[in-house]
Amino acid sequence: MRHWLVAAGWIDRTMRLVASTVAWGLLINALLIAGNAVMRKLFAIGWPVLFDLQWHFFAAAVMLMAAYTLQIDQHVRVDVLSSWLGERRRLWVDLIGLLGILLPVCAVLVWLTLPPALHALVGGETRASRDNLSDLPAWVIKGFFPAGFLLLALQGLAEAIRCVAALSGFAARPRRASLLGEDESRVG
């Protein structure tokens, strides 16, 4: 079990690195949005590729932060019954939800979204169309979907490992930090 918990810790560190990178990307996106607005309003200059990049950044943030959201236990969940359940039953509910719902759904979504992303990559598809003058490669935006679901599945696996460890009495399930960058040593 110790090796599985080490693997779960590695997954956690990876998700924190991804989340930290995406957080910086959000700052860049805010500057991009402000710069685009200033260029359009003051100078009547607009570049379709920069406008397209704005929602690429947003899609990346949504898809790539889902795993970190699960890690810090800030995802949407139905906690109506949670207060009535003891810790052991909550662990069972989480484990069943992770193994029975989250991981299979992520597997199906990676399976469905990976081929279009690869097709766009191999085919050199761009975002240019009748309605869009941007020539950004389409695989970039299409690649965020399988990547995001794969990261979410990995984090789900790490959480399932912790549930099994806690249910077997090997290790308590850790309480999670609530903010990116919060010192986990302070979190009980």
Side-chain angles (χ1 to χ4, degrees):
M1 180 57 49
R2 186 177 330 258
H3 296 299
W4 288 104
L5 288 170
V6 168
W10 180 84
I11 292 170
D12 286 348
R13 286 187 296 282
T14 301
M15 296 315 146
R16 282 193 300 273
L17 177 63
V18 169
S20 178
T21 303
V22 171
W24 282 105
L26 288 173
L27 174 62
I28 293 167
N29 194 34
L31 296 172
L32 176 67
I33 291 169
N36 275 339
V38 168
M39 294 299 288
R40 277 194 328 265
K41 298 298 180 186
L42 295 181
F43 304 108
I45 298 172
W47 289 288
V49 69
L50 294 180
F51 182 73
D52 216 17
L53 270 175
Q54 292 176 25
W55 72 268
H56 275 63
F57 271 113
F58 182 71
V62 170
M63 293 307 301
L64 300 178
M65 291 294 279
Y68 181 71
T69 303
L70 177 63
Q71 182 185 106
I72 63 171
D73 202 24
Q74 295 296 311
H75 57 290
V76 175
R77 80 167 52 211
V78 180
D79 281 336
V80 174
L81 300 176
S82 183
S83 61
W84 295 344
L85 300 174
E87 180 63 23
R88 192 159 182 78
R89 285 191 179 139
R90 274 195 299 265
L91 287 168
W92 276 110
V93 168
D94 284 350
L95 184 60
I96 291 166
L98 291 164
L99 297 178
I101 298 170
L102 181 73
L103 291 178
V105 167
C106 285
V108 167
L109 289 170
V110 167
W111 183 68
L112 290 173
T113 60
L114 187 58
L118 293 175
H119 177 71
L121 176 65
V122 171
E125 183 181 332
T126 67
R127 297 264 310 122
S129 69
R130 254 182 355 174
D131 303 324
N132 189 353
L133 301 175
S134 171
D135 58 357
L136 280 176
W139 65 265
V140 174
I141 190 68
K142 289 183 177 184
F144 286 132
F145 294 98
F149 288 118
L150 181 62
L151 292 175
L152 184 58
L154 285 172
Q155 188 61 48
L157 182 62
E159 297 305 317
I161 290 168
R162 283 190 195 84
C163 285
V164 170
L167 286 167
S168 66
F170 189 82
R173 193 166 185 195
R175 203 176 127 257
R176 294 301 185 176
S178 60
L179 297 172
L180 182 61
E182 185 172 318
D183 183 8
E184 288 187 12
S185 63
R186 293 181 306 153
V187 179

